[in-house]
Amino acid sequence: NRFSRRKKLIGSSQNDLYDHCLQFYGQPPLENISLTEFETFAVERLKLLKTVENLGVSCVKNSEQYTKKLDAEISRISEYEKRRKDHISHFILRLAYCQTEDLRRWFIQQEMDLFRYRFNDLHSKHKTDFLHKNNLKYETVSAEEKKSLQDKLIASSYGLSGTKVEEHDVPFQDALDLVRTRKVYLLAGNAYIPHHEIVTIVLNDFRTRLSKALAMTARSLPAVQSDERLQPLLSHLSHAYVGQDYSIQKNIGKISLEQIDALSGKSFPLCMRHLHKALRENHHLRHGGRMQYGLFLKGIGLSLEQALQFWRSEFVKGKVDADKFDKAYAYSVRHMFGKEGKRTDYTPYSCMKVILSNPPSQGDYHGCPFRHSDPELLKQKLQNYKVSPSGINQILELVKGMHYQLACQKYFELTHNVEDAGFSLNHPNQYFTESQKLLSGGRDIKKEVDMSQRSQENPASVTRPSQANSKQAHEEMGDLDSFFQDE
Amino acid sequence: MSTSDYDPACLPDLLPLYYRRLFPFSQYYRWLSYGGVSKNYFQNREYQSFTTQNELEKEMQKMVPYKIDIGAVYSHRPSQHNAVKSGTFQALEKELVFDIDMTDYDDVRRCCSAADICSKCWTLMTIAIRILDRALREDFGFHHLLWVYSGRRGVHCWVCDDAARKLSVAARSAVAEYLSLVKGGEETVRKVVLSDPIHPFINHSLSVVERYFQQYAIVDQDILGSKESVDKVLAVLPEDILSFPDLAVSFKDEKDPMKRWNLLCDLVLRKKSNSKKGGQYFDKEIMLQYCYPRLDVNVSKGVNHLLKSPFSVHPKTGRISVPIDLKELDTFDPFEVPTISLICEELEKPRAEEAEEDDMKDKENEQEAGERRRIRDYKRTSLAKYVKVFDRFLEAMARSRKGEMLKKSDLQKDF
C-alpha cells in the first residue's frame, strides 16, 4: 500500500489513535505524508534504534545508566506528534528491514529493546491500560490454586514474596524466555507468571507479532518497490548510515603512496588492512574488493592521479600489463572519482553496507572480517597482528553476539592501546580519521574525548560525536607528515 | 538366543525380505499420515513423498531403503522445491524430537566408551527416559510420546501431539534448554551448577536420579573406587570442601565406596549449617553430572533436522529401531532387541496348521492376502511385541483425535 495514495484520516478516530504513548503497531498509518517526512521520520527512528543497539551493548540493559542515557536520546516534542511519528516511522522502517533474515533480526531486536524500555517506564496504571487496550488479558490464577501450588511457585519465581502478588497463567509458548531459563513454574503446559514478569510475556507477544508482520510485509514489498520515488529511499535506509558519508574529499593529497603500507597497519580498520595485504600479495583484487578499498582510499584523501598510480603499479606487478590496466581498470578508478558516467554510488562504503551487502565468496577479500571470516581464521589473523589473547576473546564474544562494529571498535581500542575508543564506529573512514586523530594528538586527545562525551550527553543534538569534531579532525590531519618522520 | 549372528554383509539380502514381509506398513502409514498432510521423508538421500499407503509400500519395497530418516512436513511438495523461491518453502509441522546418545556421557562412564554400550551404562538411558517423559507430560502437558531404541547406543523420543508439531524453532529450543542441566564441553570440569531456589523440575529429576544412583554410580560404575575415578569426582567440588582436612584422611582410611559417598554427603550437611548462605548442593550436582540426561539441543531445535525412523534397521548392529514400552522400562534390554537376521530366520520356521486355511482364503483375494500374510508374518517373530507397543501408541493418538474432532464439531454445532 502506498502511503501517498491513501485518503486522509477521518476526524473522530484521530482522537483515539494516539491515546496511549505505547502501541503494538497492529494497524498501519492511514494518513498522507510528504516524501520528505517519509525519509526524515525513518532516518530519525533508525538513529534511535542504532542508539538502542549501542547502549544495549555498552551498558547493562535496563540498568539506571542505560535508562538515563536512553531518556536523553528521546527528543522532546509534543506527545501527539511524538506518537504520530513513532507510529509512522515504525511502519516505514518495516518496509526497509523486512527483506532479509539479517535485517529482520536486527530490526526486531532493537524494536523489542526499545519497547521494553518504554513499557517499563510506564506507570502501573498505564501498564494495565495498555494490556486492556490490546486485549491482553492474562489469566489470573485463582487463590485456591495458588495456595496448593505455593511452595512450587516460590521455588520457581525468584525474589517473589508469594501470596501477595498476582500470578497469571499462560500457555508455555507465550513465555519462552522464562521457560528457557527455568524461571517459571510449569504445569500441564502452562507457565505461572508473577505479575512483575508480565513484561516478558508482553515482549514475547510483541516479537511474535512483529516477526509475522515483517514476513507479510516482505511479500507485499514488490508492489512498494515499483514506486520509483520510494525505491531509492528504502534501499538507502536498509544500508543506512546516519552520519558523515565521506563523499566530499578533505585533505586531498595529504597522504603519499609510500605511507600507505605503514598506515594500513596503524590506522586502517581490519577490513581495509586485509584488502591492502591481499592486494600487495596477489597484485590483484576483484571488483568487490576494488570498490570497497578504492572508495576508502578516496575517502582518506587519495587524489585521482595517486589512485591511478597506486592501482596500476600494483596490478602491473601481477598478470596485468600497463596497457591492459589502462584499458580495463583505469576506467573504474576514474568512475569512483566521479569522472566517468553519472554514477550516484561513489561514496565510500559504511560499515552497514560492508556487512550487509555483497558477501564475499572464494577468492574475494572484501566484506567485514568480523562478519564474514570464520572465527578460527579471524583469531589467527588477530594473533598475527599481535592482539592479546584476552583481547581476542573479547572480540570473539562480540562477534558471537553479532556486534560486528563493536568488535571492530574493540580492535581499535586494543591496537591503539586505549580503554575507550571515544566514538561509535559506523564507517571505515571514520576509523581512519579517529585513529589519525589519536596517533597525532597529545594534549589534544583528551580535549577530543571530552568534547565527544559532552555531545553524547546533550539531548538536543542527535548528531554523532564525529560530526561535531570533524573540523578538529581536519586540522589534526595536518600533523600527519611530521608524525611519520620517526619511522 | 536372541541376536542370531548378524553380519552386515547379509543386509542387502535381508532387507528386501524385511520390507516385503515384516515391516509394519499399515501402522507406519497411519503414523506418518497423522498430520493430515502428506509427510515427506528421505530414502537414500532423495526426497520422497506419498499420499496413500499403497504408494508408500510399493515405493519402499522397490527402493529397499538402507536408511529412512524422517523430516518435516513441507508446505509445497518437494518436487516443486526448485521452482518455489526459497524462504517460502516452509516446514509446517514436525514432531518435537529428542536424541539421547550414549557417547555424550563418555566423560562419566567407565565401563564403555564411544559406540559401545553394556548393561551397566544402559541405566543412563533408563534414567533419561524417566526424567524426560515425566517432564514432557507433567510440565509441558504433552500426551503422545513415542520412545524408540536407536538400534545401537541411544534412544529417541518423538512427541507427536498437535501442539508439539506446531511449535516454532524458538519454542523447541526453549523446551530443550529447560530440560538441559549438564552444560559444558571438555574444558568444563563442573558441568552442573545449582543455586537457590531449586526449581521443582530439578527436584523431580533428582528424585529419579536418587533412585538409581547408588546401584548405578557407586556400585556398577564404581566412581569412588579407584584413585583415578575418585579424583575425577573430587575435581568437581568447590575449593573450600576440598580443603576440609577430614576429606583426604577419611578417603584414605575408608575404602568402601558406599561409605565414601556417605562421607561426602555428610560434608554437605556440615557445610550447610556452617555457612551463612546455605545451599551448597554439590552432592546433588555430582549425582546430576553423572546421571542426568544429556540431550543435543540442536536436534530438538531444528525443524529441518532429520531423525532415524522407527522400525528402520541399524546397519552396523542389524537391530531394529523398536518402540520402548515404558511399563517395562526397567527390564528393557537393548541386547534382547531383535536383529533383522533373527526375525528373518524366525520367518522360516515351520508354520502352524491354521496357516494353511488362511492360504486358501488368500487365493481369493490377493491384496488382502498380502496384508494378512504380513500381519501373520511379523506376529510370528520377536518383532510382534514391539509392533504392539506401536499399536497402543497409535490407538491413543486416534482416540484423542476423535475426541478433538467431536469437541470441534460440538462447538460448531455440526450434527
Side-chain angles (χ1 to χ4, degrees), chain A residues 384-402:
Chain A
N384 288 338
Y385 293 154
K386 312 270 192 301
V387 179
S388 71
S390 66
I392 294 181
N393 280 338
Q394 285 176 61
I395 290 180
L396 292 177
E397 270 309 301
L398 287 168
V399 166
K400 209 157 81 167
M402 298 195 279

Side-chain angles (χ1 to χ4, degrees), chain B residues 90-112:
Chain B
Q90 299 275 316
L92 282 180
E93 285 191 6
K94 189 205 174 226
E95 289 84 357
L96 174 61
V97 294
F98 296 93
D99 181 352
I100 320 276
D101 189 329
M102 199 68 93
T103 49
D104 291 336
Y105 294 80
D106 279 355
D107 59 314
V108 290
R109 53 174 184 148
R110 305 183 57 220
C111 48
C112 314

Side-chain angles (χ1 to χ4, degrees), chain A residues 152 154-156 158 172-173 176 179-180 182 184-190, chain B residues 138-141 167 170-171 173-175 177-178 180-181 197-200:
Chain A
K152 303 226 164 104
I154 297 181
S156 28
Y158 298 73
F172 82 88
Q173 291 92 327
L176 290 181
V179 169
R180 181 191 308 274
R182 237 178 280 119
V184 70
Y185 177 62
L186 287 187
L187 186 61
N190 287 318
Chain B
E138 291 178 15
D139 293 8
F140 288 99
L167 288 178
S173 128
V175 173
E177 294 200 38
Y178 175 93
S180 298
L181 277 181
I198 303 232
H199 193 278

Side-chain angles (χ1 to χ4, degrees), chain A residues 216-345:
Chain A
M216 276 178 39
T217 309
R219 283 203 274 278
S220 41
L221 202 55
V224 176
Q225 283 179 328
S226 63
D227 186 326
E228 298 143 4
R229 298 163 301 170
L230 297 181
Q231 207 279 332
L233 289 176
L234 291 178
S235 158
H236 164 68
L237 279 175
S238 60
H239 292 140
Y241 164 65
V242 291
Q244 211 186 110
D245 67 358
Y246 301 94
S247 58
I248 301 167
Q249 278 197 299
K250 303 183 171 75
N251 315 302
I252 305 179
K254 282 268 176 159
I255 295 188
S256 74
L257 296 182
E258 293 73 45
Q259 292 172 315
I260 293 186
D261 282 328
L263 283 177
S264 77
K266 287 187 160 49
S267 291
F268 281 13
L270 197 60
C271 54
M272 303 304 173
R273 186 174 183 178
H274 186 48
L275 278 164
H276 179 73
K277 184 155 180 278
L279 177 63
R280 284 284 192 235
E281 278 173 12
N282 304 322
H283 310 299
H284 187 268
L285 276 182
R286 287 198 189 158
H287 183 257
R290 291 200 303 272
M291 288 304 289
Q292 185 175 323
Y293 190 36
L295 289 171
F296 170 76
L297 288 175
K298 178 179 139 196
I300 68 173
L302 246 56
S303 69
L304 173 59
E305 290 65 42
Q306 284 180 302
L308 282 169
Q309 193 189 336
F310 176 74
W311 291 100
R312 187 194 287 116
S313 68
E314 202 52 56
F315 271 49
V316 156
K317 287 185 200 147
K319 299 188 193 153
V320 176
D321 62 41
D323 259 356
K324 182 162 181 212
F325 178 85
D326 287 333
K327 284 205 184 95
Y329 296 98
Y331 179 87
S332 68
V333 179
R334 280 198 295 276
H335 218 234
M336 279 187 231
F337 282 77
K339 304 284 193 244
E340 297 281 358
K342 189 185 183 290
R343 283 198 58 187
T344 51
D345 208 23

Side-chain angles (χ1 to χ4, degrees), chain A residues 73-175:
Chain A
E73 287 296 328
I74 314 272
S75 47
R76 283 161 209 150
I77 36 178
S78 84
E79 265 312 301
Y80 183 86
E81 255 313 292
K82 216 164 36 166
R83 295 175 190 190
R84 176 180 166 257
K85 239 193 190 175
D86 173 54
H87 187 202
I88 297 174
S89 62
H90 170 90
F91 277 90
I92 299 174
L93 286 190
R94 275 196 196 181
L95 292 175
Y97 281 82
C98 63
Q99 299 177 60
T100 69
E101 192 53 51
D102 273 351
L103 289 174
R104 283 195 292 264
R105 193 187 304 135
W106 183 87
F107 184 67
I108 291 176
Q109 182 62 56
Q110 310 322 320
E111 286 282 340
M112 270 180 65
D113 284 344
L114 181 61
F115 186 90
R116 184 198 292 115
Y117 154 78
R118 294 164 74 190
F119 186 85
N120 281 337
D121 208 29
L122 293 175
H123 254 303
S124 177
K125 178 179 182 306
H126 292 149
K127 277 188 184 140
T128 318
D129 280 348
F130 180 81
L131 293 178
H132 285 326
K133 191 164 190 289
N134 288 281
N135 293 320
L136 299 169
K137 291 184 185 69
Y138 300 115
E139 293 293 325
T140 320
V141 175
S142 70
E144 310 96 64
E145 203 186 344
K146 209 155 120 193
K147 214 158 160 209
S148 70
L149 299 171
Q150 190 164 329
D151 294 330
K152 303 226 164 104
L153 289 174
I154 297 181
S156 28
S157 314
Y158 298 73
L160 193 56
S161 54
T163 43
K164 296 210 182 110
V165 183
E166 262 188 356
E167 295 267 343
H168 303 272
D169 73 294
V170 299
F172 82 88
Q173 291 92 327
D174 292 346

